[in-house]
Amino acid sequence: MLAIGTLSRRTGTKVQTIRYYEEIGLMNEAGRTAGGQRRYDEKDLDRLAFIRHSRQLGFSLDSIRELLDLADNPAQSCSEADSIARRQLGQVEQRIKRLQALKKELRRMVAECDGDSVAECKVLEVLRDHSECLTEHNEIGA
Amino acid sequence: MLAIGTLSRRTGTKVQTIRYYEEIGLMNEAGRTAGGQRRYDEKDLDRLAFIRHSRQLGFSLDSIRELLDLADNPAQSCSEADSIARRQLGQVEQRIKRLQALKKELRRMVAECDGDSVAECKVLEVLRDHSECLTEHNEIGA
DNA sequence: CTTGAACCTCTATCAGCTGTAGCTTGTATC
DNA sequence: GATACAAGCTACAGCTGATAGAGGTTCAAG
Ligand SMILES: [Zn+2]
Ligand SMILES: [Zn+2]
Ligand SMILES: [Zn+2]
Ligand SMILES: [Zn+2]
């Protein structure tokens, strides 16, 4: 039987994060000692490792929930798991595209500024006026 | 004098977002009518446009705050603005790298699954076991 | 003067955790 | 068996960057 700290070390997950996963129903409710401390077995360890690895690959907790549900009954077809992964791949590709557009603009504005006064700063000029941009980047942020 | 809805339409910013920017001190406190409604001028419009464009390029609100402060006194050197932009560029490049590693892994696992039962699903197999991965992807998520 | 779209404040919610305060439990050592 | 203290517990606040809704007020056109 493993204490939460051991699980934490073995999976690289913060203790609070493990408790959080339990709270939102991603991890099963852990068994408890008489004094109320959580105790885990190897199955819990595997499940947490699955969750963490999926997170590292960028899956949302909702997707992970679905994947865990699927993994729990091995008889059925895996087409749904595959389509979740494909969807994830699509999103990653989209984000890469967007970030590459941002990168282009940022590189250009950084390169074109000669480091004079703020009044003539190319960086600030571009930020003030999107028509200085070469790409469309409608959506916000990341 | 512009009402908040006009500002919203002219900059593509939700009304609530404009109020939020005021709340966190990114936009100045707007003047008010006798009845308490916010009114803006062209300067406010420019400032909001600057903020939105910077957001589209992925700058954090904190960075934008710094950039706005710098832009407000045009006499000084722009080296700080430039370094904020370079930092942003560096972060974007980092994220692209990470996402490309994720993309590789995701493509591989999707490609290698022949769509059989969950028990033999390559996707789930990889998620269970990082040693199936070719790249290190320690950090989480995006 | 009436209507109704647009405005107001306040509060709650989202993802995915992370951190803190203040207390209790488990275990190793003597 | 006593004691020390690391590690556990709950509960709640906070982070980023907004977004949504309830319930009430104001502005401007006709
Ligand atoms: Zn510059
Ligand atoms: Zn632009
Ligand atoms: Zn499969
Ligand atoms: Zn991996």
Side-chain angles (χ1 to χ4, degrees), chain A residues 70-126:
Chain A
L70 291 167
D72 279 348
N73 29 349
Q76 63 191 307
S77 146
C78 74
S79 62
E80 198 160 339
D82 295 7
S83 91
I84 292 170
R86 264 193 299 274
R87 191 181 65 203
Q88 175 63 18
L89 175 59
Q91 281 168 12
V92 167
E93 283 169 339
Q94 279 287 23
R95 301 185 67 185
I96 289 174
K97 258 188 209 146
R98 290 221 57 239
L99 287 173
Q100 274 168 343
L102 299 194
K103 175 178 158 186
K104 212 190 234 171
E105 296 298 346
L106 288 167
R107 259 220 303 234
R108 212 164 56 88
M109 60 199 253
V110 163
E112 285 184 21
C113 188
D114 343 18
D116 266 14
S117 73
V118 156
E120 302 138 36
C121 180
K122 187 70 184 179
V123 169
L124 295 169
E125 193 181 310
V126 173

Side-chain angles (χ1 to χ4, degrees), chain B residues 13-31:
Chain B
T13 313
K14 295 243 160 83
V15 165
Q16 298 104 303
T17 305
I18 300 173
R19 291 198 280 246
Y20 171 70
Y21 286 162
E22 181 182 312
E23 196 184 307
I24 63 170
L26 205 56
M27 288 293 283
N28 307 321
E29 288 210 11

